[in-house]
Amino acid sequence: MDPVEVAAVPDAGPGPAWQNKCPWGAPNTTSISCSLADVMSEQLAKELQLEEENAAFPEVVAVAEGPFITGENIDTSSDLMLAQMLQMEFDREYDAQLRREEKKINGDSKVSISFENYRKVHPYDSDSSEDEVDWQDTPHDPYRADKPTPTPRRGFIGKGKDITTKHDEVVCGRKNTARMENFAPEFQVGDGIGMDLKLSNQVFNALKQHAYSEERRSARLHEKKEHSTAEKAVDPKTRLLLYKMVNAGMLETITGCISTGKESVVFHAYGGRSATEDKVIPPECAIKVFKTTLNEFKNRDKYIKDDYRFKDRFSKLNPRKIIRMWAEKEMHNLTRMQNAGIPCPQVVILKKHVLVMSFIGQDQVPAPKLKDVTLSSEDMKKAYYQILNMMQQLYKECNLVHADLSEYNMLWHDGKVWLIDVSQSVEPTHPHGLEFLFRDCRNVSQFFQKGGVAEALNERELFNAISGLNITAENEVDFQAEIEALEKMNEDHVQNLGKKLSMFSSNGDPPIYDE
């Protein structure tokens, strides 16, 4: 068979140069001669196809192995690569538009929305730090237990044999597990990530009761720590005050508690040295720590709010100051009694709600109360007249009424009676001063009459003897009525004129007002 000429272009021959460079001119190509069998060969066709593919995609493998798709390592002659690069750029622009929409809609709101599910480019494919998304920003939190499926109002799900009621064991177990999140933060419920926990009602109720018990116990411990002197204990602030006294050398050592009461706790201590030479610290001291809780002072503010010495400083809105004023009040009252020569503890120092006094007793053994000591008839009679004399001194010289005088607040030491606990003592011009005095007279009279003192006066006679008033009432009801009338007259005078009523005259005359 004759060879077939595939492409034959006749020689143009000599001619002008512009004719050879004309774009519309026929190209100069060499003729390739081949047989028809070669043209119809299938192997030749495959080789030609591979050559074309290698020419079109020379760097496909290198791009797949590389980390990024850029224009430097891609042959832009490939339509596939161009399409992939354009699509990637479009996806990034789309995601940027979504971020702008999120920022515009959310603004400064604490509750925000997210278009994370609508983004085209995965965060790990992005080279921008703004595209990094943490699992906390996604709707799914792997560290939070899945909430159980709520039961419809009708109380069951499904039909026929597949029905599931709200009392189903599995449903209730998952609900109980989810409810544990409502326990107090201090109650550790554990970590159940990836576990389908189911708590029975019995276990959940036991845990719930235990959580509430621990919460109440924690509150009680906190309250006990904050409050002072609860059951012979002191709070950290009071302990710091005592440490400072010991470190300063004022006290040598604190031995322990010797007495507890409704409003205070008394400790025994050995005295040290004083910073000043004019002040002598006794060898043994009594430290009276007033309780900083307000439970014991609910009904005792009447002793201080109407006292003219502290009335301007009393504030009902700041009740914790009452406690310090209560300690200060006892210090002033003891100072008055000491100046008048009445047997009582000697004041050493006052620090906030801690009052240091001389110790009535010997070798850490406190003097017994008058109710606990057994006295002979002569000592009982001696004690009665001594108390009568002290009540008169307290009323006339100290201008005070004890307001809580009884055998519980009188000590027997060295053959005589000592008065203690005068924090509630008030002046006779107090709106209830005469009532307090009459109550003291009743307590003293009843105690010594029961003790066998024949010379003991009754409460009305003792009241007239102490106050110098001459109230002649036949019964106790009328006697108290006249006392209340005198107090009312004094209170009206103070409110109208702003002046205190002078001391009641000792000759029984009506009250005299200072004009």
Side-chain angles (χ1 to χ4, degrees):
M1 180 180 294
D2 296 336
V4 179
E5 186 176 354
V6 178
V9 178
D11 190 5
W18 61 269
Q19 292 181 357
N20 298 332
K21 297 182 179 180
C22 181
W24 291 277
N28 295 327
T29 59
T30 59
S31 61
I32 301 175
S33 300
C34 60
S35 62
L36 182 61
D38 293 338
V39 175
M40 300 301 295
S41 175
E42 183 177 356
Q43 183 178 2
L44 179 62
K46 290 183 178 181
E47 291 178 356
L48 294 176
Q49 183 179 359
L50 290 176
E51 291 179 2
E52 292 180 359
E53 290 179 356
N54 294 333
F57 307 104
E59 303 292 338
V60 171
V61 177
V63 172
E65 295 177 355
F68 299 106
I69 300 176
T70 61
E72 298 177 358
N73 53 3
I74 293 298
D75 185 8
T76 55
S77 61
S78 173
D79 294 340
L80 178 61
M81 287 295 101
L82 288 176
Q84 291 178 351
M85 294 174 61
L86 291 175
Q87 183 64 38
M88 180 66 69
E89 188 66 24
F90 174 79
D91 291 343
R92 289 178 179 176
E93 293 179 0
Y94 181 79
D95 292 347
Q97 179 66 23
L98 287 181
R99 284 194 296 271
R100 288 193 293 269
E101 291 293 333
E102 286 181 5
K103 191 176 297 184
K104 178 180 178 181
I105 294 175
N106 295 332
D108 298 333
S109 177
K110 295 182 179 179
V111 180
S112 60
I113 63 173
S114 175
F115 295 125
E116 178 65 25
N117 296 337
Y118 299 96
R119 293 187 182 181
K120 297 296 184 180
V121 181
H122 195 271
Y124 296 106
D125 296 339
S126 175
D127 56 352
S128 176
S129 59
E130 296 179 357
D131 295 336
E132 295 181 1
V133 179
D134 194 5
W135 60 264
Q136 296 178 353
D137 300 331
T138 59
H140 178 68
D141 185 357
Y143 292 94
R144 183 179 297 275
D146 295 336
K147 294 184 178 180
T149 304
T151 306
R153 291 185 177 181
R154 61 175 180 263
F156 62 92
I157 300 176
K159 295 181 180 179
K161 296 181 180 181
D162 299 332
I163 189 172
T164 302
T165 64
K166 61 181 180 181
H167 302 290
D168 184 71
E169 182 178 0
V170 177
V171 175
C172 291
R174 290 172 178 169
K175 286 184 178 180
N176 293 336
T177 304
R179 287 172 184 169
M180 287 197 304
E181 296 181 359
N182 300 327
F183 289 168
E186 297 82 7
F187 187 78
Q188 303 295 334
V189 296
D191 189 4
I193 301 177
M195 294 184 289
D196 188 13
L197 298 180
K198 306 178 188 65
L199 292 181
S200 63
N201 292 337
Q202 181 180 1
V203 175
F204 174 76
N205 292 333
L207 289 175
K208 182 179 178 181
Q209 186 64 30
H210 181 67
Y212 289 163
S213 301
E214 288 295 321
E215 188 176 1
R216 290 194 297 268
R217 177 176 173 273
S218 177
R220 286 196 301 268
L221 292 177
H222 179 73
E223 183 180 4
K224 186 176 181 180
K225 182 179 179 181
E226 291 293 329
H227 294 166
S228 172
T229 62
E231 298 297 332
K232 303 182 182 180
V234 294
D235 61 350
K237 294 182 179 179
T238 305
R239 192 179 301 113
L240 182 60
L241 291 176
L242 299 179
Y243 286 160
K244 288 182 178 180
M245 293 181 184
V246 175
N247 293 335
M250 185 177 300
L251 299 177
E252 184 68 24
T253 180
I254 300 175
T255 58
C257 179
I258 59 176
S259 177
T260 59
K262 295 183 297 184
E263 62 186 30
S264 63
V265 177
V266 182
F267 297 90
H268 175 271
Y270 286 105
R273 63 185 184 279
S274 176
T276 57
E277 297 180 356
D278 56 345
K279 192 170 185 178
V280 180
I281 299 178
E284 293 185 90
C285 298
I287 305 175
K288 188 172 185 179
V289 181
F290 288 84
K291 294 181 178 180
T292 54
T293 56
L294 301 177
N295 298 331
E296 307 297 342
F297 289 86
K298 291 181 179 178
N299 300 323
R300 302 182 73 82
D301 57 351
K302 62 181 180 181
Y303 294 96
I304 193 171
K305 71 177 183 179
D306 293 324
D307 195 324
Y308 295 102
R309 298 173 293 173
F310 303 93
K311 187 173 183 179
D312 296 336
R313 296 167 53 190
F314 178 81
S315 176
K316 190 70 175 178
L317 299 179
N318 193 0
R320 292 195 172 274
K321 290 185 178 180
I322 302 176
I323 300 159
R324 296 185 183 181
M325 294 174 62
W326 197 265
E328 182 182 352
K329 192 166 183 277
E330 179 160 6
M331 181 194 68
H332 289 304
N333 294 339
L334 287 175
T335 303
R336 285 192 186 185
M337 295 169 61
Q338 185 179 353
N339 295 335
I342 299 176
C344 65
Q346 177 186 355
V347 177
V348 178
I349 193 173
L350 173 66
K351 289 291 186 180
K352 295 184 179 180
H353 61 284
V354 178
L355 179 62
V356 181
M357 306 172 291
S358 61
F359 179 70
I360 308 300
Q362 189 176 3
D363 297 334
Q364 302 186 26
V365 180
K369 297 178 181 179
L370 203 58
K371 74 177 186 66
D372 298 329
V373 67
T374 302
L375 301 177
S376 62
S377 59
E378 292 296 330
D379 290 339
M380 185 68 72
K381 184 178 180 180
K382 177 183 176 181
Y384 172 73
Y385 283 108
Q386 185 182 355
I387 292 174
L388 183 60
N389 184 32
M390 286 191 298
M391 293 179 67
Q392 290 178 344
Q393 284 184 285
L394 194 66
Y395 186 86
K396 296 180 179 180
E397 298 180 18
C398 301
N399 194 26
L400 289 175
V401 175
H402 192 283
D404 194 20
L405 188 62
S406 65
E407 62 272 18
Y408 294 89
N409 294 327
M410 292 183 286
L411 304 180
W412 181 259
H413 181 63
D414 289 342
K416 59 182 179 181
V417 179
W418 298 69
L419 293 183
I420 61 172
D421 193 12
V422 292
S423 57
Q424 72 285 331
S425 300
V426 297
E427 293 186 350
T429 53
H430 189 276
H432 303 284
L434 295 181
E435 293 182 21
F436 297 154
L437 178 61
F438 183 73
R439 187 176 62 188
D440 292 346
C441 294
R442 179 191 299 165
N443 295 335
V444 172
S445 297
Q446 291 179 356
F447 174 74
F448 283 99
Q449 286 176 358
K450 293 179 181 179
V453 179
E455 294 84 356
L457 303 175
N458 59 36
E459 57 267 20
R460 286 175 287 176
E461 295 173 347
L462 183 59
F463 177 85
N464 288 331
I466 299 299
S467 63
L469 299 175
N470 188 15
I471 301 178
T472 57
E474 297 181 355
N475 52 44
E476 185 176 349
V477 177
D478 296 339
F479 195 90
Q480 291 183 351
E482 293 189 21
I483 292 177
E484 293 176 0
L486 290 175
E487 292 177 342
K488 180 64 176 175
M489 184 169 52
N490 179 37
E491 185 177 1
D492 293 342
H493 175 75
V494 172
Q495 291 180 356
N496 294 333
L497 302 180
K499 300 177 182 179
K500 292 193 296 182
L501 182 64
S502 64
M503 291 291 296
F504 293 111
S505 59
S506 58
N507 54 5
D509 295 335
I512 300 176
Y513 299 100
D514 289 336
E515 295 294 344

